[in-house]
């Protein structure tokens, strides 16, 4: 049996990879050793950047419609709410999704599975990867299906989305350096009431151990997430909700009516040494794992999948050489290492023990944090960082040039237009050129001859404020990042970009909607 890409693991990362590849016309075989999708989950937050990328497949609205939008974060000390910081006003000029979205992983997975089924793709359950070999021109894998029989599969590439205990990672021997936090994490899905069940995020600062109440959709539903490090952590396997619930009940005045489920786990901070080896790739928790601080983990795995998907599609369809795939590691491993280091510092600070740490946490933070958040630049920095819209690939091999303050490798800045926004054309999942101002005739002809979409936006002050240069050209990658920024507006630099990287512009096997006309004028239409 054969497929273009074998995908081991059907969590959010594997599901998104399968979905993007399928829409790009690539045949996938997606399998997971579990018998059914998860019914409980630790991952909750869907960040703004993920929702922006989900617009490519009309997923964003479905997520938002079924999720809970968190309007604010509250800090509690000694049983009282000491500070409140609003979320919704933080990024209203930066993204179409200027809010924190809570959408539990189990619901998230069901949505992705349903979209795959609409495209004719099934998750092969109770199917385990036993072994594989990279034979240079192909990967040969042995799978064991639900009937216990072994199957031999051949594929051009193998994607390891098989979690922190990844067999794919162990087989290619890329290691998993890092460490394990001494704290034991617990998660409880509860039906409850009280002042902390107001639809906002609550965080107790009284003790070194973390405790947060995350609101869920539905009246009185919440997720309690916390840590313990005392003697209870030594017997995590026997820990019960009753062993940890007193603090939430006393400090946050939570009245628990029902515990729907309760789980404990240990958290690691690790990054594998390589994201690619030959025809094998590592994504998501198989490549990096870290503290849940900031709600970054699931979103980072989804980002891995979308970064890799268009590159795999280009190589499999003959539009690009295999070396294009080297850019996956170059772009994603730097971000993963920085993310692990950052979340580790944040988590270590929040859970620091001792009298000085307690003073900072209980007396200074409730006053300093709101004061800092009244500073516009500080608010924007926090939102950009947590939402992942600040993530860029400027130092990557696929990034070139700058025009205005926009560099090759940047996320395309978002701007509202008279008819919507400048992200609307990104749903095509193809290379395209944006010009803010006037596109010269040479560029128009070049795009028309190569059937590459040219989006022209009549110049407005909003575009200047967002950092665009008037009449410059911006070459946009299929994953919506800027590949090339060129002030002259002439296509020579674009020609050189594609030629030097061996990328061909021709029709693909894409299953997505047909491409738009070669030139489209958008924004303030004439």
């Amino acid at each position: 049996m054969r497929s273009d890409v074998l995908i081991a693991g059907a969590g959010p990362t594997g599901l998104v990879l399968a979905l993007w590849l399928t829409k790009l016309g690539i045949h996938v075989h997606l399998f997971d050793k579990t018998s059914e999708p998860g019914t409980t989950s630790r991952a909750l937050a869907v960040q703004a950047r993920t929702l922006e990328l989900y617009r490519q497949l009309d997923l964003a609205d479905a997520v938002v419609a079924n999720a809970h939008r968190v309007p604010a974060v509250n800090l509690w000390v000694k049983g009282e709410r000491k500070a409140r910081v609003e979320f919704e006003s933080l990024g209203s000029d930066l993204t179409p999704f200027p809010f924190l979205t809570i959408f539990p992983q189990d619901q998230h997975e069901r949505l992705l599975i349903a979209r795959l089924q609409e495209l004719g793709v099934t998750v092969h359950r109770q199917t385990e990867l036993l072994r594989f070999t990279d034979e240079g021109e192909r990967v040969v894998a042995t799978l064991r299906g639900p009937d216990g029989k072994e199957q031999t599969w051949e594929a051009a590439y193998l994607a390891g989305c098989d979690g922190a205990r990844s067999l794919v990672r162990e087989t290619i021997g890329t290691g998993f350096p890092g460490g394990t936090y001494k704290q034991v994490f617990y998660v409880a899905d509860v039906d409850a009431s009280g002042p902390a069940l107001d639809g906002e995020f609550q965080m107790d600062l009284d003790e070194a151990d973390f405790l947060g109440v995350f609101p869920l959709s539905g009246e009185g539903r919440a997720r309690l997430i916390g840590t313990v490090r005392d003697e209870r952590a030594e017997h995590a396997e026997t820990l019960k909700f009753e062993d940890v619930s007193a603090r939430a009940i006393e400090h946050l005045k939570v009245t628990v009516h029902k515990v729907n489920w309760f789980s404990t786990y240990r958290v690691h901070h690790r990054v594998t040494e390589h994201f690619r080896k030959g025809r094998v790739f590592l994504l998501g928790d198989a490549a990096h794992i870290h503290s849940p601080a900031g709600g970054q983990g699931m979103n980072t795995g989804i980002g891995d999948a979308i970064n890799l998907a268009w590159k795999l599609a280009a190589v499999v369809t003959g539009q690009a050489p295999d070396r294009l795939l080297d850019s996956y590691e170059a772009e994603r491993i730097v971000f993963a290492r920085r993310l692990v280091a950052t979340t580790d510092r944040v988590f270590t600070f929040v859970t620091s023990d001792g009298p000085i740490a307690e003073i900072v946490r209980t007396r200074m933070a409730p006053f300093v944090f709101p004061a800092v958040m009244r500073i516009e630049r500080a608010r924007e920095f926090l939102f950009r960082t947590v939402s992942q819209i600040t993530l860029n690939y400027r130092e990557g091999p696929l990034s070139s040039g700058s025009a205005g303050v926009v560099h090759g490798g940047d996320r395309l800045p978002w701007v509202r237009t008279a008819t919507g926004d400048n992200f609307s054309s990104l749903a095509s999942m193809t290379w395209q050129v944006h010009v803010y101002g006037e596109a010269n005739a040479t560029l128009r002809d070049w795009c028309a001859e190569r059937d590459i979409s040219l989006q022209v936006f009549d110049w407005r002050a909003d575009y200047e404020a967002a950092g665009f240069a008037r009449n410059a050209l911006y070459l946009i990658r299929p994953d919506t990042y800027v590949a090339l920024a060129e002030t002259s507006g002439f296509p020579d630099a674009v020609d050189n970009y594609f030629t030097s990287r061996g990328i061909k512009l021709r029709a693909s096997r894409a299953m997505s909607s047909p491409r738009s006309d070669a030139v489209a004028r958008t924004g303030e239409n004439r």
Side-chain angles (χ1 to χ4, degrees):
M1 291 175 278
R2 196 180 192 291
S3 181
D4 291 332
V5 180
L6 287 176
I7 303 176
T13 300
L15 292 168
V16 168
L17 180 62
L19 189 54
W20 254 252
L21 285 172
T22 300
K23 290 293 287 187
L24 290 167
I26 304 303
H27 301 294
V28 303
H29 184 69
L30 172 63
F31 60 92
D32 196 287
K33 62 183 179 182
T34 61
S35 59
E36 62 181 7
T39 56
T40 62
S41 63
R42 297 192 292 268
L44 291 173
V46 182
Q47 302 294 354
R49 184 55 180 151
T50 298
L51 290 172
E52 290 178 354
L53 293 167
Y54 272 12
R55 285 182 67 178
Q56 288 192 294
L57 291 184
D58 197 26
L59 281 168
D61 288 345
V63 171
V64 173
N66 292 282
H68 179 79
R69 287 169 55 167
V70 180
V73 56
N74 297 275
L75 305 180
W76 290 65
V77 177
K78 300 188 184 305
E80 295 183 4
R81 196 188 314 244
K82 292 293 186 180
R84 181 180 184 271
V85 177
E86 291 188 4
F87 275 151
E88 291 188 300
S89 61
L90 292 184
S92 57
D93 294 330
L94 302 174
T95 174
F97 307 101
F99 41 79
L100 175 63
T101 304
I102 298 295
F103 190 52
Q105 181 179 327
D106 51 334
Q107 298 177 43
H108 200 149
E109 289 183 13
R110 289 197 295 271
L111 173 63
L112 296 171
I113 290 168
R115 291 299 175 92
L116 278 169
Q117 289 174 338
E118 292 173 4
L119 297 175
V121 177
T122 300
V123 179
H124 296 270
R125 295 284 175 186
Q126 295 179 286
T127 301
E128 185 177 4
L129 176 64
L130 298 179
R131 56 190 173 274
F132 67 88
T133 57
D134 182 345
E135 299 189 353
E137 296 299 317
R138 60 179 182 170
V139 173
V140 179
T142 301
L143 311 183
R144 181 165 57 211
D147 58 1
K149 295 181 180 178
E150 295 186 3
Q151 310 166 356
T152 299
W153 277 84
E154 295 182 6
Y157 297 96
L158 168 64
C161 308
D162 50 342
R165 295 183 175 87
S166 170
L167 175 66
V168 176
R169 186 188 63 244
E170 291 180 7
T171 302
I172 64 176
T174 57
F176 211 26
T180 304
Y181 292 109
K182 60 183 179 181
Q183 295 94 334
V184 168
F185 281 72
Y186 63 84
V187 182
D189 189 306
V190 301
D191 294 334
S193 60
L197 276 293
D198 60 358
E200 300 182 351
F201 171 61
Q202 320 291 336
M203 183 175 175
D204 177 40
L205 301 178
D206 277 327
E207 299 179 11
D209 280 322
F210 174 80
L211 172 62
V213 179
F214 295 80
L216 302 177
S217 294
E219 185 71 24
R221 291 197 60 226
R223 184 75 48 86
L224 273 59
I225 300 179
T227 64
V228 294
R229 75 178 83 199
D230 52 23
E231 63 276 1
R232 292 173 294 177
E234 299 174 6
H235 306 284
E237 66 282 355
T238 61
L239 204 62
K240 301 182 181 66
F241 180 69
E242 293 74 18
D243 299 324
V244 299
S245 59
R247 181 178 168 199
I249 293 170
E250 295 172 8
H251 293 196
L252 297 180
K253 297 180 170 56
V254 174
T255 300
V256 177
H257 304 297
K258 180 183 177 182
V259 179
N260 298 309
W261 61 270
F262 176 77
S263 179
T264 62
Y265 59 100
R266 290 193 179 275
V267 171
H268 308 266
H269 47 101
R270 303 177 184 276
V271 182
T272 190
E273 293 173 349
H274 295 287
F275 282 21
R276 179 192 188 188
K277 188 172 183 180
R279 291 183 170 270
V280 182
F281 299 87
L282 298 174
L283 301 83
D285 286 355
H288 45 78
I289 192 167
H290 50 81
S291 157
Q296 303 293 301
M298 181 177 65
N299 295 274
T300 304
I302 290 169
D304 291 344
I306 295 172
N307 181 284
L308 180 60
W310 72 270
K311 298 171 183 177
L312 279 172
V315 174
V316 169
T317 57
Q319 293 178 265
D322 181 82
R323 69 176 184 271
L324 174 68
L325 298 172
D326 290 336
S327 66
Y328 166 65
E329 176 178 313
E331 291 181 340
R332 296 302 295 178
I333 200 168
V334 173
F335 173 64
R337 286 171 175 163
R338 185 168 60 246
L339 177 64
V340 169
T342 301
T343 55
D344 181 54
R345 286 195 296 269
V346 171
F347 180 73
T348 300
F349 170 76
V350 170
T351 60
S352 294
D353 209 351
I356 296 178
E358 182 179 356
I359 291 172
V360 171
R361 199 170 52 245
T362 63
R363 299 183 187 180
M364 295 178 63
F367 301 101
V368 172
F369 184 58
V372 170
M373 293 307 294
R374 284 194 286 270
I375 303 171
E376 184 177 354
R377 287 188 177 182
R379 290 199 309 272
E380 181 174 322
F381 174 79
L382 177 65
F383 181 81
R384 284 182 176 276
T385 302
V386 174
S387 67
Q388 296 196 357
I389 65 173
T390 193
L391 189 161
N392 68 77
Y393 305 132
R394 287 187 180 184
E395 304 303 319
L398 301 184
S399 304
S400 180
S402 64
V405 300
V406 179
H407 292 246
D410 285 356
R411 160 193 172 266
L412 182 71
W414 175 77
V415 183
R416 293 186 186 90
T417 66
T419 56
D421 60 35
N422 63 328
F423 277 19
S424 299
S425 66
L426 303 180
S428 64
M429 299 173 71
T430 57
W431 292 94
Q432 58 188 269
V433 173
H434 282 205
V435 173
Y436 297 84
E438 293 291 333
N440 60 67
T442 304
L443 178 61
R444 290 173 178 271
D445 292 343
W446 185 93
C447 289
E449 290 170 3
R450 290 157 181 80
D451 191 28
I452 185 169
S453 174
L454 172 60
Q455 302 291 324
V456 181
F457 300 81
D458 290 341
W459 184 252
R460 289 167 28 204
D462 291 345
Y463 297 130
E464 183 177 15
F468 292 110
R470 189 169 189 170
N471 301 336
L473 73 80
Y474 299 91
L475 176 65
I476 312 301
R477 303 175 359 171
D479 62 353
T480 79
Y481 283 87
V482 178
L484 167 71
E486 169 59 37
T487 56
S488 73
F490 285 92
D492 294 359
V494 186
D495 246 341
N496 292 335
Y497 181 93
F498 287 125
T499 301
S500 64
R501 291 164 177 82
I503 299 172
K504 305 171 186 175
L505 292 175
R506 61 177 175 82
S508 71
R509 293 184 286 170
M511 295 170 59
S512 52
S513 57
R515 301 170 81 176
S516 59
D517 293 338
V519 179
R521 178 166 289 282
T522 330
E524 299 289 341
N525 293 317
R526 291 178 173 175

